[in-house]
Amino acid sequence: MNTIQWPLRTRLPLQRGFLLGCRNVRMSSMTGQRNLLVRNRLQYHSFINLPMMPLQLIQFFHLSSRANLNSLRLLNSRRFISVFPKIIGKVIKMPVYLGGGLAAAGSYIAFKVEETTGYAVDQWKHVKNFSDSMKDKLQGLFSGGEHNGQTGGGNSGGNSNGLNNAALLAGLTDEEKDELEQQRRKKQNFDEDKDDEDDEENDMVDNTQDEMLNLTKQMIEIRTILSKVDSTSSTLTLPSIVVIGSQSSGKSSVLESIVGRDFLPKGSNMVTRRPIELTLVNTPNINETTADFPTQRMYNLKDFKEVKRILLELNMAVPSSEAVSEEPIQLTIKSSRVPDLSLVDLPGYIQIEAADQPFELKTKIRQLCEKYLATPNIILAISAADVDLANSAALRAAKQADPQGLRTIGVITKLDLVSPEEARNILMNRRYPLKMGYVGVITKSPNKSRVGLFGDGSSGTSGGLFGKREIAKIKENSGNQMGIEQIESSNFERLYFREHRSEFSNCQVTTKRLREKLIKILEISMSNALEPTEAIIQQELDDTSYLFKVEFNDRQLTPKSYLLNNVDVLKAAIKEFQEKFNRAELKSILKADLDQKVLDFLANRYWKDENLEALSFKIKNEDEMLYWHRKLELASSSLTKLGIGRLSTQLVTNSILKELENILDTTSLKNHDLIKDLVNNTAVNVLNTKYYSTADQVENCIKPFKYEIDLEDRDWNLAKDHSILLLREELAQCQQRYETIQNSVGKKNLKRVMLYLEENNAGRETLGMSKMMLERGSEALFLGKRSKTLKFRLNMLKNRCYSTTDKDRCPEVFLNAVSEKLTSTAVLFLNVELLSDFFYNFPIELDKRLSLLSEEQVELFAKEDPKISRHIELQKRKELLELALEKIDSILMFKKSYKGSINKV
């Protein structure tokens, strides 16, 4: 029995012997006894492959044999029927048990052999590479090394290289061997830390895994949507990482190291006066880093010096008397080198106010920070290593907002300014424990450690912080990626922690580790806040939907549709105006202006003439006849050479613009200065395109009337009737004005003043008459004389002006006939050249200009109307809440299905 169970009891020693054999294989390359160890390995291998029969199987054989004997003895027994099937079943299953056991043992042995072989091959490659790298350094010691290296190049076998390396190592002194052994150990330490090797290749590349379809990016999108709904709400939001720290604690440097760019303003006069809501978006498909300021509508900024300038201007816009403001600055940075994070940079804590700062500045900063430190935000408390944590303003504020330290991450900067032992004591999270612990970073490399920026370029780090690979990296990234300062700081941090690996073995250090920690914590905190936020969003959506139903009956309205509707109303009104503004309307406008010009000529040249009464009698004196004839020619010439082309074109243009303004006042556009200016400017531009050509055309057509005017009897009679109407209207206006003055001054007072002025008593006293009284009296005298003259001329026109032969005695009729000729001629070209072109091109040009408006301009236009602004805001709020709720639901459903699939697996 003991002999049969012996393989089972010795299984573990055999496996240990097998591993010992593998260890001998690994050491074969250093001792030169490869062949013997290979034979030992084969011996152990063959020894292990001896058939090992399990105890249960042996017991089964033993029981089976006994069962067979009993079955022979009980052939005539009644129990034969029940025993025989069991025996047959066990016999049938015996090959299955045997085959399964052998297969399992073989698979396990094959797996261990493969693992051992792979490990041995990897170690052999490391030794081979190490020996190859030592050849160049040992050429000075071995004169035949170069010759052996050249002749050995033709041998491809590994044994010759191994022997050659062994020969090289054998020729070294003990000190050289110790030095090589130290370098080999460092090499092994570097191989064990794969993350550091990845950092050398690309320190700032985000290596975040796409777990659960990158939920962090989706949740940051939801947070952005919620901030558009209500940026001031403390409940309608998802967690962010709030960065706090005192001034000069390295807060800005930590943020810049996470982003990889120098973009935050720095200075001694408190340059951070407003919260900076920083959103980092990982965009794998772009090679450039861009920045957006959504509130300022500035997008795709690639120059981060410009970003820093804008941030400085926005911060310094806060007056020194206030020092800080609660209005945040929204900044979005997109790059393939940043993780998906949502950060808030707050003004740094101060201990005492400066002379030019308000007395309550310290309190205002504390109150502003408390607003952002509230649940559920994650607190990133930054403290410098050279300052006692007991005096850390960031930890003190975090302790007040988060007494149990459940959502606070401690970040210790400037670790290189203290000893590694002291830094380790800080990072061990013992004195001031936090649930999420501490992370140590070095965000700036000290200038004193820089012998030269690039050193001699011949080695990795000697003589400077950069070697060949770092220089190549700087050249590659000098355009749009990290700057030299960021790369230098990153390299210094990595080299520092690598040099003090043993001191920081159990600590969380490096900026890369901080970024990974922030990504994970933000994802977890946002994920935990999804369900409570979903309930709040659902309640907000119900309230908003109810208000939208009550106030606007669920009527959809967008700024674009509102603009187009108003423009359609405007176009319809202009179409109606076009139908009314025909040739007759155009003629009446121009004739009314020329009638006023005619009255002015008559008043200046005739009605003031003292010999005007002579026209009531028949003129027989040739000199007197010549006098009135020349006076009429001068008046007619003044009218025809007035510049009818420019005058008529200007009149029509002004009339169109005035009517267009009246139309705008009847529509909803009257409250929108932006669109009113756009419509007016469009109309002016369309009219200006034809203004000068139309004026020239009209002026050319009326040239014949400047030399001779032929009038028919019909023209004379029409002009006579129109002249009588003009004079009557003028007489009525004079009498109305006279009565107005008489009512305001008094009939007796007015007569007294007029009598005083008629007597021309300049040297006498005014008898208490004021200057205004004298002015009213003078105007009343003029109106009286003008009324008398108009009555005289009306009588003359009715009784003496019968035909064109009386034109010298009836200048009113002749000049009116001339103005009628000028008006009829000008209207023809004004209608064709100006009006038709305007009503055709104006709608087309208006559509072109409206299409050039940006979405922001259209939205600003719509929100100029308070009612429309309320409609659009409520509808936009409803749509954003629905979108946020839809995204949250999709994430929650995916998480449930994801957990369900994991549980099934």
Side-chain angles (χ1 to χ4, degrees):
M1 188 67 182
N2 294 334
T3 304
I4 294 175
Q5 292 183 354
W6 174 80
L8 293 174
R9 293 183 178 182
T10 57
R11 180 183 300 175
L12 184 59
L14 287 177
Q15 292 180 357
R16 290 179 180 175
F18 172 68
L19 295 177
L20 181 62
C22 294
R23 182 179 178 185
N24 292 335
V25 172
R26 292 197 302 268
M27 297 179 59
S28 62
S29 59
M30 303 298 297
T31 60
Q33 299 178 359
R34 176 180 177 82
N35 297 330
L36 178 60
L37 292 176
V38 169
R39 290 195 299 272
N40 292 337
R41 185 191 66 178
L42 295 176
Q43 180 180 358
Y44 283 120
H45 183 75
S46 61
F47 185 63
I48 292 173
N49 281 329
L50 289 176
M52 294 184 294
M53 186 175 297
L55 176 60
Q56 294 83 353
L57 190 59
I58 297 174
Q59 292 176 352
F60 170 73
F61 282 131
H62 181 67
L63 294 175
S64 299
S65 61
R66 293 179 60 185
N68 293 332
L69 293 175
N70 291 333
S71 62
L72 293 176
R73 294 175 183 177
L74 300 176
L75 288 174
N76 299 321
S77 178
R78 295 179 179 177
R79 302 172 65 183
F80 173 77
I81 299 175
S82 60
V83 173
F84 185 73
K86 294 182 180 180
I87 296 173
I88 294 176
K90 291 182 179 182
V91 172
I92 293 174
K93 292 180 180 179
M94 183 178 63
V96 178
Y97 291 148
L98 182 61
L102 294 177
S107 299
Y108 176 77
I109 293 172
F111 168 73
K112 298 302 293 184
V113 169
E114 182 181 358
E115 181 180 12
T116 305
T117 304
Y119 182 79
V121 171
D122 291 339
Q123 294 301 319
W124 171 253
K125 289 182 179 179
H126 286 308
V127 174
K128 183 179 182 301
N129 294 333
F130 174 74
S131 61
D132 290 341
S133 63
M134 292 299 300
K135 285 183 180 180
D136 295 335
K137 295 184 179 180
L138 298 176
Q139 286 180 357
L141 298 175
F142 300 95
S143 58
E146 181 178 359
H147 177 71
N148 294 334
Q150 292 177 354
T151 57
N155 299 328
S156 59
N159 295 331
S160 61
N161 290 333
L163 294 174
N164 195 12
N165 295 333
L168 292 175
L169 293 173
L172 296 177
T173 62
D174 294 338
E175 295 180 354
E176 291 173 344
K177 289 182 179 179
D178 293 339
E179 182 179 358
L180 292 178
E181 180 65 20
Q182 293 178 0
Q183 294 182 3
R184 185 185 65 80
R185 290 178 180 176
K186 290 183 179 180
K187 177 66 177 176
Q188 290 179 352
N189 292 333
F190 293 160
D191 292 337
E192 292 175 358
D193 193 355
K194 296 300 182 181
D195 293 337
D196 289 346
E197 292 297 330
D198 294 337
D199 287 345
E200 290 181 1
E201 297 297 331
N202 195 345
D203 183 67
M204 293 301 296
V205 172
D206 180 30
N207 295 323
T208 312
Q209 295 181 355
D210 294 333
E211 297 180 358
M212 295 178 65
L213 298 180
N214 200 355
L215 291 182
T216 305
K217 183 187 292 292
Q218 299 181 47
M219 288 185 285
I220 288 179
E221 292 177 358
I222 296 173
R223 181 185 179 276
T224 304
I225 294 172
L226 295 178
S227 66
K228 293 179 181 179
V229 175
D230 188 358
S231 60
T232 61
S233 176
S234 59
T235 57
L236 201 64
T237 183
L238 287 175
S240 296
I241 299 174
V242 180
V243 184
I244 59 172
S246 60
Q247 292 187 11
S248 71
S249 63
K251 180 166 58 69
S252 299
S253 299
V254 170
L255 290 175
E256 289 179 343
S257 64
I258 294 175
V259 177
R261 300 302 298 264
D262 180 12
F263 68 98
L264 290 174
K266 304 176 185 64
S268 58
N269 192 21
M270 190 177 175
V271 293
T272 304
R273 303 184 179 185
R274 298 169 58 183
I276 300 177
E277 295 182 354
L278 178 62
T279 302
L280 306 182
V281 180
N282 183 269
T283 51
N285 297 326
I286 64 173
N287 297 324
E288 296 179 336
T289 304
T290 60
D292 299 338
F293 289 92
T295 307
Q296 284 71 33
R297 293 182 172 84
M298 304 173 68
Y299 303 97
N300 294 326
L301 299 177
K302 300 178 182 179
D303 186 2
F304 275 76
K305 292 182 180 179
E306 180 70 11
V307 174
K308 179 184 285 189
R309 184 190 65 80
I310 294 173
L311 285 175
L312 181 61
E313 290 182 355
L314 293 175
N315 278 287
M316 301 308 292
V318 180
S320 300
S321 59
E322 298 180 7
V324 292
S325 172
E326 294 185 359
E327 183 180 0
I329 301 173
Q330 295 180 357
L331 174 61
T332 302
I333 295 180
K334 301 176 181 179
S335 174
S336 59
R337 294 175 170 263
V338 298
D340 292 309
L341 287 176
S342 178
L343 305 164
V344 180
D345 183 23
L346 296 176
Y349 291 99
I350 62 173
Q351 299 299 327
I352 188 172
E353 298 84 0
D356 58 342
Q357 293 176 340
F359 178 74
E360 66 277 4
L361 175 59
K362 186 176 180 180
T363 304
K364 293 178 69 174
I365 294 176
R366 178 175 55 80
Q367 293 175 350
L368 175 61
C369 293
E370 287 177 355
K371 175 184 175 182
Y372 280 92
L373 295 180
T375 308
N377 287 338
I378 305 301
I379 303 174
L380 195 66
I382 297 180
S383 305
D386 57 345
V387 178
D388 190 358
L389 292 185
N391 300 323
S392 173
L395 287 179
R396 187 185 309 114
K399 186 70 174 177
Q400 295 176 357
D402 181 24
Q404 298 180 356
L406 299 178
R407 51 187 181 88
T408 302
I409 306 174
V411 178
I412 308 301
T413 61
K414 306 178 183 179
L415 286 181
D416 56 319
L417 300 183
V418 297
S419 63
E421 292 76 13
E422 184 177 355
R424 175 184 174 83
N425 293 333
I426 298 175
L427 299 177
M428 289 304 292
N429 195 19
R430 293 173 180 173
R431 295 188 60 188
Y432 306 97
L434 298 174
K435 182 69 175 178
M436 299 182 183
Y438 291 84
V439 181
V441 297
I442 301 175
T443 56
K444 287 186 178 180
S445 60
N447 294 328
K448 61 183 179 181
S449 65
R450 186 189 308 166
V451 178
L453 184 62
F454 298 103
D456 57 0
S458 60
S459 62
T461 57
S462 61
L465 292 180
F466 298 133
K468 292 182 179 180
R469 300 173 67 182
E470 287 78 4
I471 295 173
K473 187 190 300 182
I474 293 174
K475 290 181 179 180
E476 178 183 357
N477 299 304
S478 60
N480 297 319
Q481 305 298 335
M482 291 190 300
I484 293 179
E485 294 182 359
Q486 282 74 27
I487 298 179
E488 183 179 19
S489 300
S490 176
N491 277 272
F492 176 80
E493 180 187 54
R494 184 172 61 254
L495 293 175
Y496 179 84
F497 288 121
R498 183 178 294 174
E499 181 180 356
H500 302 282
R501 183 186 305 273
S502 59
E503 290 87 348
F504 298 102
S505 58
N506 296 326
C507 302
Q508 301 183 79
V509 292
T510 72
T511 304
K512 179 178 181 295
R513 174 58 182 160
L514 175 62
R515 291 164 66 230
E516 294 174 351
K517 190 178 184 70
L518 293 179
I519 293 170
K520 192 64 178 178
I521 290 175
L522 183 62
E523 179 179 341
I524 294 174
S525 60
M526 281 188 170
S527 179
N528 294 335
L530 280 179
E531 293 186 2
T533 305
E534 182 189 26
I536 298 174
I537 293 175
Q538 185 63 57
Q539 182 62 39
E540 290 286 338
L541 179 58
D542 294 340
D543 296 341
T544 304
S545 300
Y546 175 76
L547 291 176
F548 191 64
K549 176 69 174 179
V550 172
E551 295 184 19
F552 304 105
N553 197 23
D554 287 339
R555 182 172 61 89
Q556 296 294 320
L557 180 66
T558 63
K560 189 73 172 179
S561 62
Y562 175 72
L563 173 62
L564 295 178
N565 290 336
N566 282 276
V567 171
D568 290 341
V569 173
L570 176 64
K571 290 180 179 179
I574 292 176
K575 186 67 175 179
E576 184 179 356
F577 166 62
Q578 178 183 1
E579 295 174 356
K580 295 180 179 179
F581 200 72
N582 49 25
R583 186 178 300 179
E585 183 69 19
L586 186 62
K587 183 178 180 180
S588 64
I589 294 173
L590 182 57
K591 188 65 171 63
D593 190 79
L594 290 181
D595 286 343
Q596 188 61 45
K597 300 292 184 184
V598 169
L599 292 175
D600 292 339
F601 288 141
L602 291 173
N604 294 328
R605 296 183 181 274
Y606 284 92
W607 295 342
K608 292 181 180 181
D609 198 326
E610 296 179 354
N611 299 322
L612 183 60
E613 294 182 357
L615 292 177
S616 60
F617 305 100
K618 189 174 182 179
I619 302 175
K620 296 181 180 180
N621 190 349
E622 294 182 359
D623 294 336
E624 187 177 358
M625 186 179 297
L626 182 62
Y627 170 79
W628 294 109
H629 183 69
R630 288 181 176 178
K631 185 181 282 290
L632 182 62
E633 286 183 350
L634 288 174
S636 176
S637 177
S638 299
L639 183 59
T640 56
K641 296 179 181 180
L642 188 63
I644 300 299
R646 179 175 54 83
L647 176 64
S648 60
T649 306
Q650 186 66 43
L651 281 173
V652 175
T653 300
N654 292 339
S655 298
I656 293 174
L657 295 178
K658 181 64 177 178
E659 187 63 26
L660 187 59
E661 184 177 354
N662 295 334
I663 292 174
L664 286 171
D665 290 337
T666 60
T667 64
S668 299
L669 297 175
K670 63 182 179 180
N671 299 323
H672 304 288
D673 294 334
L674 175 66
I675 301 301
K676 284 181 66 176
D677 293 340
L678 186 143
V679 172
N680 289 327
N681 292 334
T682 303
V684 169
N685 290 334
V686 173
L687 291 172
N688 284 339
T689 56
K690 286 291 185 177
Y691 179 85
Y692 295 104
S693 61
T694 303
D696 292 340
Q697 287 290 342
V698 173
E699 199 67 34
N700 291 332
C701 292
I702 64 170
K703 277 185 178 181
F705 299 113
K706 297 179 181 180
Y707 304 100
E708 184 178 1
I709 299 176
D710 295 331
L711 297 177
E712 298 179 356
D713 293 338
R714 179 176 174 274
D715 298 331
W716 180 265
N717 293 330
L718 292 174
K720 178 181 176 180
D721 295 338
H722 189 70
S723 298
I724 293 173
L725 292 175
L726 284 178
L727 293 182
R728 285 178 177 176
E729 183 178 356
E730 187 73 11
L731 178 60
Q733 292 179 0
C734 290
Q735 292 176 349
Q736 183 180 1
R737 179 59 183 169
Y738 182 85
E739 291 177 358
T740 302
I741 296 174
Q742 186 177 0
N743 294 333
S744 63
V745 176
K747 187 174 182 180
K748 292 183 179 180
N749 292 333
L750 184 59
K751 285 185 177 181
R752 183 165 60 88
V753 173
M754 292 175 64
L755 180 61
Y756 169 77
L757 293 175
E758 286 178 352
E759 293 177 356
N760 195 17
N761 295 323
R764 295 175 56 184
E765 297 181 0
T766 58
L767 300 176
M769 299 178 187
S770 63
K771 183 179 180 181
M772 185 185 68
M773 184 72 72
L774 294 175
E775 291 177 355
R776 297 292 177 84
S778 299
E779 186 178 359
L781 280 177
F782 171 77
L783 292 173
K785 292 179 180 180
R786 176 59 58 88
S787 298
K788 184 179 179 181
T789 302
L790 291 173
K791 290 178 182 179
F792 167 71
R793 295 307 302 170
L794 278 172
N795 188 37
M796 182 71 181
L797 293 177
K798 292 177 182 179
N799 300 320
R800 303 292 177 89
C801 301
Y802 298 112
S803 63
T804 56
T805 57
D806 298 326
K807 64 180 182 179
D808 293 335
R809 300 172 62 187
C810 302
E812 294 88 353
V813 179
F814 182 76
L815 293 177
N816 193 278
V818 173
S819 68
E820 181 67 24
K821 290 283 187 182
L822 296 174
T823 300
S824 300
T825 305
V827 164
L828 294 175
F829 290 92
L830 288 171
N831 186 51
V832 174
E833 294 290 333
L834 190 64
L835 291 183
S836 299
D837 180 80
F838 171 77
F839 288 118
Y840 175 78
N841 290 319
F842 173 71
I844 299 175
E845 187 67 23
L846 182 61
D847 290 338
K848 289 181 180 179
R849 292 187 172 231
L850 290 174
S851 64
L852 297 177
L853 293 176
S854 63
E855 294 183 0
E856 290 81 6
Q857 289 177 319
V858 175
E859 186 174 355
L860 288 175
F861 149 75
K863 290 183 178 180
E864 288 178 352
D865 190 335
K867 185 176 180 180
I868 300 301
S869 177
R870 168 69 176 170
H871 191 160
I872 293 175
E873 288 292 341
L874 200 60
Q875 177 179 314
K876 184 178 180 181
R877 180 184 179 87
K878 179 174 176 290
E879 292 174 351
L880 289 174
L881 289 172
E882 290 175 347
L883 179 60
L885 190 62
E886 179 183 353
K887 288 182 174 292
I888 290 179
D889 289 341
S890 64
I891 293 177
L892 292 177
M893 290 180 62
F894 181 80
K895 287 178 64 177
K896 291 178 181 178
S897 62
Y898 180 81
K899 291 181 179 179
S901 61
I902 293 296
N903 293 333
K904 291 180 181 179
V905 174

